[in-house]
Amino acid sequence: MISVNNLYKTFKVHKKEPGLRNSIKSLFIRKWIKNNAISDVTINVEKGEILGLVGANGAGKTTLVKVLAGIIHPDSGTVRVLGFNPWDRKYEFRRQIALIMGQKAQLWWDLPAGDCFLLLKEIYQIPPRQFNENLEFLKETLNVKKQMDIQIRRLSLGERMKMELIAALLHDPKIVYLDEPTIGLDLTAQRAIRNFILKYRQMHTPAMILTSHYMEDIEQMSKRIVILRKGRIVYDGLL
């Protein structure tokens, strides 16, 4: 279960002024404005639920996901994920979550996918039997058995995203954050990723938060959505 109460996060952003003169001036005299990345956000996500997090660019979706994953420390508020405070970054917490970001790769590009997974097995201390069973299931479900010995950088974008999913789910996380997992993919790859996520959710019932600009992702995978606008929730309810 994920619980977020009265969360608040602000960033300082340099106020850019047009013109060469003002650009030079700003090197010495800087003006700053405060942007509230997220403010007064309160949500709960239950086991087996896929919550759709929707909003325009800059609405605070990725910031909220990073707070829940313990990457960003909020200015105020409380967050409990599986009973843990995320930004304490305890090992017991980190091995129960997975963060998949469509715009950022986590695998090592010069290594074959199979070697990357063996390295993750050691990082997460996954028992051999569990590792082999999970890897076999994920490979077969995502249809990437033939790509296991190919360097990550030589794979197509869709194949790389499938490998990222495998890497994130090898250790059976109870919480899965999906930040635009289908961005840039063709329609066939998008459909394959969506079908896989739905099948995985049905079998393993993790709590999941999904952000996406593709409404088809949200429509097919989420029954409940939260709409963010300028860091605040403007809607929380059924799709």
Side-chain angles (χ1 to χ4, degrees):
M1 176 180 175
I2 305 171
S3 178
V4 179
N5 296 304
N6 299 323
L7 204 60
Y8 176 87
K9 180 66 185 176
T10 183
F11 289 135
K12 283 186 176 180
V13 182
H14 182 234
K15 185 178 180 181
K16 296 182 179 179
E17 298 174 311
L20 178 60
R21 178 183 175 185
N22 286 333
S23 296
I24 297 174
K25 180 181 177 182
S26 68
L27 290 174
F28 304 98
I29 304 174
R30 292 181 174 240
K31 296 180 181 179
W32 300 86
I33 60 173
K34 279 189 176 181
N35 279 351
N36 293 331
I38 46 177
S39 183
D40 297 326
V41 171
T42 299
I43 59 172
N44 287 286
V45 186
E46 300 293 337
K47 179 181 179 181
E49 180 181 11
I50 301 180
L51 174 69
L53 196 57
V54 183
N57 288 326
K61 303 185 300 298
T62 298
T63 299
L64 178 57
V65 168
K66 287 182 176 180
V67 168
L68 293 173
I71 297 173
I72 293 178
H73 195 300
D75 297 324
S76 63
T78 61
V79 178
R80 305 300 292 177
V81 179
L82 297 172
F84 293 94
N85 187 349
W87 48 89
D88 286 343
R89 301 292 290 166
K90 291 184 177 179
Y91 178 73
E92 294 82 1
F93 165 73
R94 287 184 284 123
R95 69 184 310 275
Q96 295 187 75
I97 69 167
L99 172 60
I100 302 162
M101 305 184 73
Q103 299 185 30
K104 186 174 182 180
Q106 63 176 335
L107 295 176
W108 299 267
W109 277 46
D110 290 326
L111 292 180
D115 290 350
C116 291
F117 301 148
L118 287 172
L119 184 54
L120 289 169
K121 171 181 177 292
E122 299 304 320
I123 292 174
Y124 286 107
Q125 293 294 293
I126 307 172
R129 182 175 177 180
Q130 178 186 348
F131 172 79
N132 292 330
E133 290 178 354
N134 288 350
L135 182 58
E136 192 62 31
F137 164 74
L138 293 168
K139 286 191 302 183
E140 184 174 345
T141 307
L142 287 167
N143 193 26
V144 291
K145 286 187 175 182
K146 295 180 179 179
Q147 288 80 35
M148 293 297 292
D149 296 325
I150 301 176
Q151 289 175 304
I152 295 296
R153 60 184 173 85
R154 295 173 56 197
L155 298 174
S156 69
L157 180 59
E159 291 169 341
R160 287 204 303 271
M161 180 49 63
K162 290 179 179 180
M163 297 303 183
E164 294 284 345
L165 284 167
I166 293 175
L169 302 175
L170 271 174
H171 59 290
D172 285 331
K174 295 181 180 179
I175 306 292
V176 180
Y177 305 113
L178 299 159
D179 189 23
E180 300 193 60
T182 62
I183 189 168
L185 303 183
D186 59 45
L187 295 177
T188 302
Q190 288 180 26
R191 190 180 303 113
I193 297 297
R194 284 194 294 265
N195 291 339
F196 168 76
I197 292 172
L198 288 171
K199 183 174 181 179
Y200 184 87
R201 188 276 304 266
Q202 184 178 9
M203 295 184 65
H204 296 270
T205 65
M208 308 177 85
I209 293 182
L210 167 70
T211 77
S212 180
H213 288 289
Y214 298 137
M215 285 311 298
E216 193 171 353
D217 288 351
I218 302 297
E219 290 173 357
Q220 293 193 16
M221 290 190 281
S222 302
K223 293 183 179 180
R224 173 185 164 218
I225 64 170
V226 166
I227 301 177
L228 288 179
R229 182 175 182 270
K230 295 183 178 179
R232 293 180 179 270
I233 293 178
V234 296
Y235 178 80
D236 181 352
L238 296 177
L239 181 63

